[in-house]
Amino acid sequence: MHPLQMIDILRQHIIGRLGTDIDNLDAVLHCFKPLKVDRNKFLVREGEVCKYVYFIAKGCLQVFVYDHDMNETTRDIVTEGTWCSELISFGSGKPATENIKTIEPCDLLAIDRQGFQKMMETVPQFDKVYKQILETSYANSVYRINTFVALSALDRIKWLMEFRPKLMTRVSSKLIASYLGINKDVFSRLKAKL
């Protein structure tokens, strides 16, 4: 995807949330750096400082941690038209507690902390978008955790099919099983019953 197309997707995303009456929007959009990233590349590693907030113009990211056996536990799978970052690390400059990795080739727009602060000052309404990013990230994590605690493995799969059906055909069974907190073999067996 051409960088100008990526910027236009972001422009439409911001206008969709804030309306067309946005001062200095083009100046803000120039703070974003277009990136083309291959599949299976780390954007953030646990223990490093997260330097960017990413807008996904095209592609798919995995947000995960390693358990003590170095197995991946997926907190989120983030697709185009949304934002992704390790927000606590990005905001504080402290080491990240999660990893963010591409699971498809991705077209991303990255903004660093200095650019992000400039954007917040230049477009005060962007604070509303930032709050949405925070709330969505928090709500997705908490809702998923709280919901999954009460659901059987089969009901978790049904939940995914209802609320995020495109993931079933887009990402690997191993990744979905990690996201649902189910053993991969159990996931395959249960999915076959549906």
Side-chain angles (χ1 to χ4, degrees), residues 155-168:
D155 285 337
R156 291 177 197 185
I157 297 168
K158 288 178 180 173
W159 175 89
L160 187 75
M161 291 171 83
E162 182 177 349
F163 292 101
R164 300 196 69 186
K166 290 180 181 164
L167 288 183
M168 295 293 279

Side-chain angles (χ1 to χ4, degrees), residues 1 4 13 15 21 26 34 36 78 80 84 87 89-90 108 124 127 135 142 156 158 164 171 178 184:
M1 185 182 300
L4 289 176
H13 172 83
I15 287 171
D21 186 26
D26 284 329
K36 288 190 168 296
V78 191
E80 48 273 296
C84 189
L87 290 170
S89 174
F90 178 78
L108 306 171
D127 189 43
E135 286 168 7
V142 171
R156 291 177 197 185
K158 288 178 180 173
R164 300 196 69 186
V171 301
S178 169
K184 185 170 72 82

Side-chain angles (χ1 to χ4, degrees), residues 24-148:
N24 309 314
L25 181 57
D26 284 329
V28 163
L29 292 172
H30 287 294
C31 294
F32 285 85
K33 182 169 73 173
L35 302 173
K36 288 190 168 296
V37 185
D38 292 333
R39 183 176 179 269
N40 283 331
K41 299 292 182 195
F42 280 84
L43 300 175
V44 179
R45 286 184 191 268
E46 192 175 336
E48 297 175 352
V49 174
C50 178
K51 295 187 170 112
Y52 297 96
V53 170
Y54 299 94
F55 178 78
I56 308 165
K58 182 173 177 268
C60 192
L61 304 177
Q62 175 192 17
V63 182
F64 68 98
V65 294
Y66 290 109
D67 67 15
H68 58 279
D69 294 323
M70 292 307 286
N71 296 313
E72 295 176 2
T73 301
T74 302
R75 182 181 65 78
D76 207 356
I77 300 168
V78 191
T79 55
E80 48 273 296
T82 51
W83 301 83
C84 189
S85 184
E86 213 283 23
L87 290 170
I88 294 169
S89 174
F90 178 78
S92 69
K94 292 183 177 162
T97 58
E98 298 178 314
N99 302 280
I100 301 174
K101 182 172 79 172
T102 59
I103 40 184
E104 295 174 355
C106 291
D107 291 336
L108 306 171
L109 290 160
I111 187 166
D112 63 19
R113 196 183 329 173
Q114 187 180 354
F116 199 83
Q117 286 169 339
K118 179 183 170 191
M119 182 169 64
M120 298 287 269
E121 291 162 14
T122 311
V123 182
Q125 309 98 304
F126 195 81
D127 189 43
K128 185 175 164 188
V129 174
Y130 183 56
K131 283 188 176 123
Q132 288 175 345
I133 296 168
L134 287 172
E135 286 168 7
T136 301
S137 175
Y138 178 75
N140 284 349
S141 297
V142 171
Y143 176 79
R144 192 178 68 82
I145 291 163
N146 289 344
T147 301
F148 286 5

